[in-house]
Amino acid sequence: MRVKEVADIAGVSVRTLHHYDEIGLLTPEKTTNAGYRVYSDEDLERLQQILFYKELGFPLKKIKSILQDPSFDRKEALEWHRRILLEKRRRLEQMLSLVEQTLQQEKGEITMTNEEKFQGFDFTANPYEEEARKRWGDEAVDRSKARVEEMSENQQQAMAEEMNAIYQKLAGLRRLSPSSPEAQTAIAEWYKLLNTFGNYSLEMFKGLGQMYVEDERFTKNIDSFGEGLAFFMRDAMEIYADRQK
């Protein structure tokens, strides 16, 4: 298929497809002698994956990094997209219901209790817990939660401050190679800290780093300390885990 046909099917502009080609995100399999781009079925599958990530708010640079990762698995990615989108749909339906009830109250049709006014909001749930349970099992997650719950409020605050300090340290090193002595020393501190309330094997530590870039919630939070930090930590954690084996 040529670029105009692909643009029409995918609902994107020809200019967008040209841009994806220019930055190496989606380079068509073939180009005719006249210079026309020709897209294969595999190219269309890659475009679909790009648009899935784009819909979830991923910047193009991160999408490219994810798709070029040798460990990228299309089926796993699609299952992840489905989980995230179902959760977003659930939250949106909950919020929509709350808005509709609030409008009814404004019109005098119903009276809401104070509890009902806030039933659509939930800031207490850990958005990463379900994913962690799927990857490492209930026992490992429950053990980590129990250790945190055993801490006093002051201890939890101190731990949070220490975590933020390491994030800031790593953010200051992210322009270096993740294999550099400075980066590896800092990531070793991260591994040690995580094991004060968890029981992370080297493989789990390595897998956690991968979650930092696969899950946009992780990426957004970590990159608030410095753009690109999530990917830097992923690479540093992988190197550290492999070296310690």
Side-chain angles (χ1 to χ4, degrees):
M1 298 181 68
R2 292 192 177 181
V3 64
K4 182 62 168 62
E5 296 174 290
V6 174
D8 290 341
I9 288 177
V12 299
S13 67
V14 170
R15 183 174 181 178
T16 292
L17 293 175
H18 286 172
H19 179 60
Y20 289 174
D21 187 6
E22 290 167 1
I23 65 175
L25 180 59
L26 178 65
T27 301
E29 189 173 286
K30 298 178 182 178
T31 304
T32 67
N33 292 333
Y36 293 108
R37 297 169 173 83
V38 180
Y39 292 80
S40 66
D41 289 341
E42 288 75 17
D43 292 329
L44 294 181
E45 289 181 357
R46 184 178 175 90
L47 175 59
Q48 184 196 52
Q49 195 66 63
I50 291 168
L51 297 180
F52 276 136
Y53 279 112
K54 194 168 183 290
E55 177 66 25
L56 292 174
F58 280 59
L60 297 181
K61 184 177 180 180
K62 289 184 180 178
I63 297 174
K64 180 180 177 181
S65 178
I66 291 170
L67 297 183
Q68 288 183 340
D69 191 313
S71 65
F72 176 78
D73 183 285
R74 177 174 168 78
K75 183 179 177 181
E76 287 185 1
L78 288 170
E79 290 174 347
W80 180 82
H81 286 309
R82 180 175 60 185
R83 289 199 303 273
I84 297 299
L85 290 170
L86 285 173
E87 175 61 19
K88 287 184 70 173
R89 183 176 71 180
R90 184 190 70 79
R91 294 297 302 275
L92 285 172
E93 288 175 348
Q94 193 173 33
M95 293 303 298
L96 180 60
S97 175
L98 179 60
V99 169
E100 289 174 345
Q101 290 179 63
T102 306
L103 281 172
Q104 285 181 295
Q105 176 171 268
E106 290 296 312
K107 295 176 183 177
E109 298 173 357
I110 64 171
T111 299
M112 299 175 68
T113 66
N114 288 333
E115 288 77 14
E116 288 173 335
K117 292 175 183 177
F118 298 94
Q119 65 184 1
F121 302 106
D122 182 9
F123 301 108
T124 61
N126 183 345
Y128 313 120
E129 184 173 326
E130 181 183 354
E131 187 71 19
R133 289 186 183 279
K134 284 186 169 102
R135 294 198 178 213
W136 298 309
D138 290 335
E139 184 180 352
V141 176
D142 289 338
R143 188 165 54 243
S144 295
K145 287 185 68 178
R147 289 189 184 181
V148 173
E149 289 170 359
E150 289 172 359
M151 296 179 179
S152 67
E153 187 174 334
N154 288 338
Q155 287 175 320
Q156 291 184 25
Q157 179 63 31
M159 183 182 69
E161 291 174 357
E162 189 173 353
M163 292 177 76
N164 286 339
I166 296 178
Y167 275 134
Q168 291 168 357
K169 180 186 292 187
L170 286 163
L173 299 171
R174 72 188 189 281
R175 304 303 180 194
L176 301 177
S177 167
S179 63
S180 68
E182 296 88 346
Q184 286 300 296
T185 297
I187 214 67
E189 293 177 18
W190 185 238
Y191 182 62
K192 181 179 179 181
L193 178 61
L194 290 178
N195 275 289
T196 60
F197 62 91
N199 187 20
Y200 286 86
S201 66
L202 290 170
E203 280 303 313
M204 287 176 64
F205 187 60
K206 186 175 179 179
L208 181 65
Q210 190 62 37
M211 282 178 63
Y212 289 173
V213 300
E214 289 179 354
D215 192 317
E216 65 172 342
R217 298 164 299 181
F218 267 116
T219 306
K220 181 178 179 179
N221 287 338
I222 294 173
D223 278 8
S224 67
F225 290 89
E227 185 177 358
L229 179 57
F231 280 84
F232 176 78
M233 288 185 68
R234 186 274 310 270
D235 293 342
M237 291 164 76
E238 180 177 357
I239 293 168
Y240 178 83
D242 289 341
R243 285 181 177 179
Q244 298 303 311
K245 291 179 181 178

